[in-house]
Amino acid sequence: MSIVTHLIGMKELTTDQIERLLDRAEYWAERPGVQTDVLKGRFIANLFFEASTRTRFSFEVAQKRLGAHVLNFIPETSSTVKGETIYDTIRTLEAMGVEAAVIRTKKDGLLTELASEVSLHLINAGDGTNEHPTQCLLDLLTMRQQFGRIEGLTVAIIGDLRHSRVLGSHLHALPKLGANLLLAGPSSMMPPAQIVPDGVKKVDIDEAVQTADVVMMLRVQLERHTDALFVSKEEYHRAHGLTLERAKMMKPGAVIMHPAPVNRGVEIHSDLVECEKSLIQKQVTNGVAARMAVLETVLKGSDKTWESSLATANA
Amino acid sequence: MSIVTHLIGMKELTTDQIERLLDRAEYWAERPGVQTDVLKGRFIANLFFEASTRTRFSFEVAQKRLGAHVLNFIPETSSTVKGETIYDTIRTLEAMGVEAAVIRTKKDGLLTELASEVSLHLINAGDGTNEHPTQCLLDLLTMRQQFGRIEGLTVAIIGDLRHSRVLGSHLHALPKLGANLLLAGPSSMMPPAQIVPDGVKKVDIDEAVQTADVVMMLRVQLERHTDALFVSKEEYHRAHGLTLERAKMMKPGAVIMHPAPVNRGVEIHSDLVECEKSLIQKQVTNGVAARMAVLETVLKGSDKTWESSLATANA
Amino acid sequence: MSIVTHLIGMKELTTDQIERLLDRAEYWAERPGVQTDVLKGRFIANLFFEASTRTRFSFEVAQKRLGAHVLNFIPETSSTVKGETIYDTIRTLEAMGVEAAVIRTKKDGLLTELASEVSLHLINAGDGTNEHPTQCLLDLLTMRQQFGRIEGLTVAIIGDLRHSRVLGSHLHALPKLGANLLLAGPSSMMPPAQIVPDGVKKVDIDEAVQTADVVMMLRVQLERHTDALFVSKEEYHRAHGLTLERAKMMKPGAVIMHPAPVNRGVEIHSDLVECEKSLIQKQVTNGVAARMAVLETVLKGSDKTWESSLATANA
């Protein structure tokens, strides 16, 4: 069994490593609000070169529930304005005794480069259009809780797929775990053909919604679509969104997921965000559990000492 | 006795609830620097959509002295830039296990809307020109410490009243507690007539200063008064400020208060800020105690368990 | 023995005080990663009016390893935008129970002014072009570890000396401790003659590199040198930088230091940053130890209780 020392992407993880991370995430999901000393006195830095309060808060809750010390980097006030490279920043953190860095960056593949050069543990919180592995893990945890398995599930990922790092991670993970993956969305938003593995089918949205166990709607990255091609939010909703009508066509037992933040009325009807079929809130809750599992795994290096280290403060 | 689950405004609190919050604030005021485990392992988010380091630090000190975990939201890096509503942000925090949100916003009445939709505890740190209830509570605590009572006191609130959320809270609280309220200031800065309750008198500044037990000067919101109507800081000071001469006309035993930050030489002479009559520093100190009481009250839901939970770390 | 209550600059410290701070810094340097309760429940504010993630993180690690509560001030969201003076900000922090403020500011000598007016402990994290005493202390610690002494060492400080607060501190400290100080750099970057003590020699860079035990390269403050006088990075490197050729001329046992962040290829060749002669990473590590010593010293007021207060959480 190889040890997970970084979390760069789902691409690098074996099926066994993914399953073990999910098992541990489930362990934390069953212990909401529990405060532990697992990482007491250890330092983790959150380096969000691209702002995301939502993801940073999720990591920060996970870090603090594990008892770690948290350092938050604020992009506007970066020492990188003085011309320092990210490599030098990471080496500086290492020298200060920081043991892990959670990094969000606009640059595809940045963490892969860094991983060969530094000894501090790296956790990818989204690198450009490449991967967002902790989002993928929380999605997988949510599916497994709901259906008891991932193998054999049909998962439709729908919408703005072109630049999606969430899709980037699922393209590696879902096939590994034996799920059937369907893609749907406007043709201008399809992912580059070369990143889509064999066996992943492109279908129209109605077919996707009707056949999937999991209907995963992606956020339209409105900030990227400012040109004339993008007609209007209403038009997008009608043509490519999860409307009330489409939701009615879902199979019995099928669920709605979304990595959030949601554009209500664009990729998903506002009334569906918190409907009975929706697992969107559950995904957010599972995000903390999944990140606790990741942080614990990379920082403890083994699960040997897990069981004995749980100290509850407010269980 | 109804339980306080949110702190939206002084308007919503009963006299009994206010008195009980003040009693608890006094309890903490008598224990400066004491570190406790009252809220150990529990998460509180500070969401300041409008910047205020002073108020945020006061809440953060209160939160950390109670042992809570603190998440700080930085406006510039908000996920709301991605188009998420505040409602969705709050629901996200709930899903992560965050139990209370301290919110400052430019939008009047925002918390009232949210309170009916979310289960997380909401604490108003200033909503537009509406209310600033923790500032009001710390003012009341300071008055009660000084005079032993609030009933029967004459409180003059002077200056830039038009957009003042501090005034907004006092207009509800002081009459409830039996204080006499006087308002003074330039006519262009008077509050809208419809929000001023019966029994509150408008007087000129000299009368206000001479008859009040508490002379509460409000900060001139210079950033709002950039037009030609506002002549100069010196002119304002002479006509509407607490000058050295006016301060000499105060009754024996009367005190000066100010919610701060102070514009020295505008609404108050610089030498008066830290003079013997001034309780301005005391107000800041009491801010921590008042906020500890509020946080503890909304998060513990009852004061039954208060006494037994005090653990001192550095008393 | 006088007690250190602020750390304004190396100018104000006696040789004995410096030695004692270095002894304590060495104590912490020998205990990497140790978590303590020395300052449990006590509040320290980091007020960086000039952004520096690197220095702020170093202080924050030091503060948290000592068990203190940390408040971070974010320049963009300052209450000083409302017109409050720094003096009023510090007084506010005092009133809230904050016991120490770590301040970085553009204004030379600001802390000296403040120190006479406030009771909160002030720690200079860089004031304009004046001093940066914790950087100086970590440099001294690094030299002492390497050579076993500072007395008699020849230290060459090379490069952009004109506006350097690091130099500002060393001009006071190194002569006090008996080191020989050499300065080298382009004539347009020399420090004002009046701040250079007698006995400090200006030499050319080749002589400096060949005769020094410590070759300390300073960062070219590129943001200050935007005018035509500054020809190019390559040109600067050839004429005034530590090139591979110059590094070969260093004495046996001589070391390279740099306060960082480094401009690779400008004041120092990229390959030298992490070469065998380089102590740059060690300096960063020592930064945490030096800052722990400073914080502990100013906040505990004496070293009497030091030994008994060390509680290890993850030694």
Side-chain angles (χ1 to χ4, degrees):
Chain A
M1 180 197 80
S2 65
I3 289 168
V4 179
T5 52
H6 301 295
L7 181 65
I8 307 299
M10 301 307 291
K11 183 182 179 185
E12 286 80 11
L13 294 181
T14 65
T15 305
D16 181 62
Q17 286 173 327
I18 297 172
E19 294 283 8
R20 291 163 57 79
L21 283 168
L22 293 177
D23 290 346
R24 192 60 183 176
E26 183 57 35
Y27 173 90
W28 290 118
E30 288 165 3
R31 287 156 180 81
V34 168
Q35 175 64 39
T36 80
D37 289 334
V38 172
L39 299 181
K40 186 172 174 190
R42 300 175 71 175
F43 284 85
I44 303 172
N46 295 320
L47 308 180
F48 279 66
F49 298 99
E50 204 182 46
S52 172
T53 301
R54 163 187 285 271
T55 303
R56 199 253 298 168
F57 273 9
S58 180
F59 272 106
E60 191 167 345
V61 171
Q63 291 154 356
K64 289 181 171 173
R65 283 186 53 199
L66 292 170
H69 287 310
V70 180
L71 301 175
N72 282 314
F73 170 89
I74 301 140
E76 284 77 5
T77 65
S78 162
S79 67
T80 59
V81 299
K82 291 193 185 166
E84 191 180 49
T85 64
I86 291 184
Y87 168 78
D88 283 325
T89 301
I90 300 290
R91 290 283 288 151
T92 297
L93 294 173
E94 280 182 4
M96 289 178 186
V98 176
E99 295 184 69
V102 175
I103 300 180
R104 169 161 293 194
T105 169
K106 286 188 163 59
K107 193 174 169 194
D108 288 43
L110 174 68
L111 279 84
T112 308
E113 287 172 41
L114 287 174
S116 63
E117 300 176 316
V118 301
S119 58
L120 176 151
H121 301 287
L122 299 175
I123 295 159
N124 187 352
D127 62 328
T129 64
N130 183 40
E131 286 226 29
H132 190 358
T134 57
Q135 177 68 44
C136 181
L137 286 166
L138 75 88
D139 289 342
L140 297 175
L141 175 63
T142 308
M143 293 178 203
R144 212 176 68 163
Q145 285 172 348
Q146 185 71 15
F147 296 100
R149 64 191 165 88
I150 290 168
E151 194 169 3
L153 288 182
T154 297
V155 179
I157 305 185
I158 299 171
D160 190 355
L161 306 169
R162 185 155 198 85
H163 305 290
S164 172
R165 50 196 172 205
V166 176
L167 176 68
S169 287
H170 278 300
L171 284 175
H172 293 292
L174 286 170
K176 272 185 202 175
L177 297 175
N180 306 310
L181 180 51
L182 305 177
L183 305 181
S187 55
S188 65
M189 292 180 176
M190 279 293 121
Q194 70 272 20
I195 73 163
V196 181
D198 293 342
V200 174
K201 282 195 293 188
K202 299 183 189 179
V203 298
D204 72 44
I205 182 168
D206 290 326
E207 182 181 343
V209 169
Q210 291 170 46
T211 56
D213 299 295
V214 176
V215 175
M216 186 184 295
M217 304 306 300
L218 296 188
R219 191 175 72 83
V220 180
Q221 299 182 54
L222 294 167
E223 64 277 15
R224 290 188 191 267
H225 302 289
T226 52
D227 53 16
L229 286 175
F230 189 77
V231 278
S232 75
K233 293 178 183 181
E234 294 71 22
E235 184 59 33
Y236 183 92
H237 184 61
R238 258 192 310 278
H240 310 293
L242 189 61
T243 59
L244 291 176
E245 293 69 33
R246 286 200 181 98
K248 284 182 195 144
M249 307 187 309
M250 287 169 61
K251 290 199 302 188
V255 296
I256 298 168
M257 294 176 65
H258 190 300
V262 167
N263 293 308
R264 289 170 179 264
V266 186
E267 70 269 4
I268 184 170
H269 191 282
S270 186
D271 291 354
L272 297 174
V273 174
E274 297 178 77
C275 74
E276 280 200 0
K277 291 186 172 79
S278 170
L279 300 180
I280 298 175
Q281 280 289 97
K282 190 68 174 293
Q283 286 174 275
V284 179
T285 300
N286 281 335
V288 174
R291 288 167 179 127
M292 289 177 81
V294 168
L295 291 163
E296 194 187 19
T297 299
V298 300
L299 277 163
K300 295 189 74 76
S302 134
D303 56 0
K304 293 282 168 49
T305 53
W306 277 349
E307 297 310 324
S308 60
S309 62
L310 180 66
T312 67
N314 60 350
Chain B
M1 179 197 82
S2 65
I3 289 169
V4 178
T5 53
H6 301 295
L7 180 67
I8 308 299
M10 301 306 293
K11 184 181 178 184
E12 287 80 11
L13 294 181
T14 65
T15 304
D16 182 59
Q17 286 173 328
I18 296 171
E19 296 282 8
R20 291 164 57 78
L21 282 168
L22 293 177
D23 290 346
R24 192 60 184 175
E26 182 57 35
Y27 174 90
W28 290 117
E30 288 164 2
R31 288 158 178 78
V34 169
Q35 175 64 39
T36 80
D37 290 333
V38 172
L39 299 180
K40 184 171 177 191
R42 299 174 73 173
F43 284 84
I44 304 172
N46 295 320
L47 307 180
F48 279 65
F49 297 98
E50 205 182 43
S52 172
T53 302
R54 164 187 285 271
T55 304
R56 200 253 297 168
F57 272 8
S58 180
F59 271 108
E60 192 166 343
V61 171
Q63 290 154 358
K64 289 181 171 173
R65 282 186 50 199
L66 291 169
H69 287 309
V70 180
L71 301 175
N72 282 314
F73 171 89
I74 301 140
E76 284 78 6
T77 65
S78 162
S79 68
T80 59
V81 299
K82 291 191 184 168
E84 192 180 48
T85 64
I86 291 185
Y87 169 79
D88 283 326
T89 300
I90 300 288
R91 291 283 289 150
T92 297
L93 294 174
E94 280 183 6
M96 289 179 187
V98 176
E99 294 184 68
V102 175
I103 299 179
R104 168 160 294 193
T105 168
K106 287 188 161 61
K107 194 174 168 194
D108 289 43
L110 175 67
L111 279 83
T112 308
E113 287 172 41
L114 287 173
S116 63
E117 299 175 315
V118 301
S119 58
L120 176 151
H121 301 287
L122 300 174
I123 294 159
N124 187 352
D127 63 329
T129 63
N130 184 39
E131 286 224 31
H132 190 358
T134 58
Q135 178 69 44
C136 181
L137 285 166
L138 74 89
D139 289 342
L140 297 175
L141 175 63
T142 307
M143 294 178 203
R144 213 176 69 164
Q145 286 173 348
Q146 185 69 16
F147 297 100
R149 65 192 164 89
I150 290 167
E151 194 169 3
L153 288 182
T154 297
V155 179
I157 305 185
I158 299 170
D160 190 356
L161 305 169
R162 186 157 197 83
H163 305 291
S164 172
R165 51 195 173 207
V166 176
L167 176 68
S169 287
H170 277 300
L171 284 175
H172 294 291
L174 287 170
K176 272 184 202 175
L177 297 176
N180 305 310
L181 180 51
L182 304 177
L183 304 181
S187 56
S188 66
M189 291 181 176
M190 279 292 122
Q194 70 270 20
I195 73 163
V196 180
D198 293 342
V200 174
K201 283 195 293 189
K202 297 183 189 178
V203 298
D204 71 44
I205 183 167
D206 290 327
E207 181 180 343
V209 169
Q210 289 170 46
T211 56
D213 299 296
V214 176
V215 174
M216 186 184 295
M217 304 306 299
L218 295 187
R219 193 175 71 81
V220 180
Q221 299 182 54
L222 293 168
E223 62 279 15
R224 291 189 192 266
H225 301 291
T226 52
D227 54 16
L229 285 176
F230 189 77
V231 278
S232 74
K233 293 178 184 180
E234 294 71 21
E235 184 59 32
Y236 183 92
H237 184 61
R238 259 191 308 279
H240 309 293
L242 189 61
T243 58
L244 291 176
E245 293 69 34
R246 285 200 180 98
K248 285 184 194 143
M249 307 189 306
M250 287 169 59
K251 290 199 300 188
V255 296
I256 298 168
M257 293 176 67
H258 190 301
V262 167
N263 293 309
R264 288 171 179 265
V266 186
E267 70 269 3
I268 184 170
H269 191 282
S270 187
D271 292 354
L272 296 174
V273 175
E274 297 178 77
C275 74
E276 278 200 1
K277 291 185 172 78
S278 170
L279 300 180
I280 298 176
Q281 280 288 99
K282 190 69 175 292
Q283 285 174 274
V284 179
T285 299
N286 281 335
V288 174
R291 288 168 181 127
M292 289 176 82
V294 168
L295 291 163
E296 195 187 17
T297 299
V298 300
L299 277 163
K300 296 189 74 77
S302 133
D303 56 359
K304 294 280 168 51
T305 53
W306 277 350
E307 297 310 324
S308 59
S309 62
L310 180 66
T312 67
N314 58 349
Chain C
M1 177 196 83
S2 65
I3 288 168
V4 179
T5 53
H6 301 294
L7 181 66
I8 307 299
M10 301 307 292
K11 183 181 179 184
E12 286 80 11
L13 294 181
T14 65
T15 304
D16 182 61
Q17 285 172 328
I18 296 171
E19 295 282 7
R20 290 163 58 77
L21 282 168
L22 293 177
D23 290 345
R24 192 61 183 175
E26 182 57 35
Y27 174 90
W28 290 118
E30 287 164 3
R31 287 157 180 78
V34 169
Q35 175 64 39
T36 79
D37 289 333
V38 172
L39 299 181
K40 185 172 176 189
R42 301 175 70 174
F43 283 85
I44 303 172
N46 295 321
L47 307 180
F48 279 66
F49 296 99
E50 204 182 45
S52 171
T53 302
R54 164 188 284 272
T55 303
R56 200 253 299 167
F57 272 8
S58 180
F59 272 106
E60 191 167 343
V61 171
Q63 290 154 357
K64 289 181 171 174
R65 282 186 51 199
L66 292 170
H69 287 309
V70 180
L71 300 176
N72 282 315
F73 171 88
I74 300 141
E76 286 78 5
T77 65
S78 162
S79 66
T80 59
V81 299
K82 292 191 185 167
E84 192 180 48
T85 64
I86 290 185
Y87 168 78
D88 282 327
T89 300
I90 300 288
R91 291 283 288 151
T92 297
L93 293 174
E94 279 182 5
M96 288 178 187
V98 176
E99 295 183 68
V102 175
I103 300 180
R104 170 161 293 193
T105 170
K106 286 189 161 58
K107 195 175 167 193
D108 289 43
L110 175 67
L111 278 85
T112 308
E113 288 172 41
L114 287 172
S116 62
E117 300 175 315
V118 301
S119 58
L120 177 150
H121 301 288
L122 300 175
I123 294 158
N124 187 352
D127 63 328
T129 63
N130 184 39
E131 285 226 30
H132 190 357
T134 58
Q135 177 69 43
C136 181
L137 284 167
L138 74 89
D139 290 342
L140 297 175
L141 175 63
T142 307
M143 292 178 205
R144 212 175 70 163
Q145 285 172 348
Q146 185 69 17
F147 296 100
R149 65 191 164 90
I150 290 168
E151 194 170 0
L153 288 182
T154 297
V155 179
I157 305 185
I158 300 171
D160 191 355
L161 305 170
R162 184 155 200 85
H163 306 291
S164 172
R165 51 196 173 205
V166 177
L167 177 67
S169 287
H170 277 300
L171 283 176
H172 293 292
L174 286 170
K176 271 184 204 177
L177 297 176
N180 306 309
L181 180 50
L182 304 177
L183 304 182
S187 54
S188 64
M189 291 180 176
M190 279 293 123
Q194 71 271 21
I195 73 163
V196 181
D198 293 343
V200 174
K201 283 194 292 187
K202 298 185 188 177
V203 297
D204 72 43
I205 182 168
D206 290 326
E207 181 180 344
V209 169
Q210 290 171 45
T211 56
D213 298 296
V214 176
V215 174
M216 186 184 295
M217 304 306 299
L218 295 188
R219 193 175 70 82
V220 180
Q221 299 182 53
L222 293 169
E223 64 277 15
R224 291 189 191 266
H225 301 290
T226 51
D227 52 16
L229 285 174
F230 188 77
V231 277
S232 75
K233 293 179 184 180
E234 293 72 20
E235 185 57 34
Y236 183 92
H237 184 61
R238 257 191 309 277
H240 310 292
L242 189 61
T243 59
L244 291 176
E245 293 69 33
R246 286 199 180 98
K248 284 184 194 143
M249 307 189 307
M250 288 169 61
K251 289 199 301 188
V255 296
I256 299 168
M257 294 176 66
H258 188 300
V262 167
N263 292 309
R264 289 172 178 263
V266 186
E267 70 268 5
I268 184 170
H269 192 282
S270 186
D271 291 354
L272 296 174
V273 175
E274 297 178 79
C275 73
E276 278 201 1
K277 290 185 172 79
S278 169
L279 299 181
I280 299 176
Q281 279 289 99
K282 190 69 176 292
Q283 285 174 274
V284 178
T285 300
N286 281 336
V288 174
R291 287 166 181 128
M292 290 178 80
V294 167
L295 291 163
E296 194 188 19
T297 299
V298 300
L299 278 163
K300 296 190 74 75
S302 132
D303 57 358
K304 293 281 169 47
T305 54
W306 276 351
E307 297 310 324
S308 60
S309 63
L310 180 67
T312 66
N314 59 350

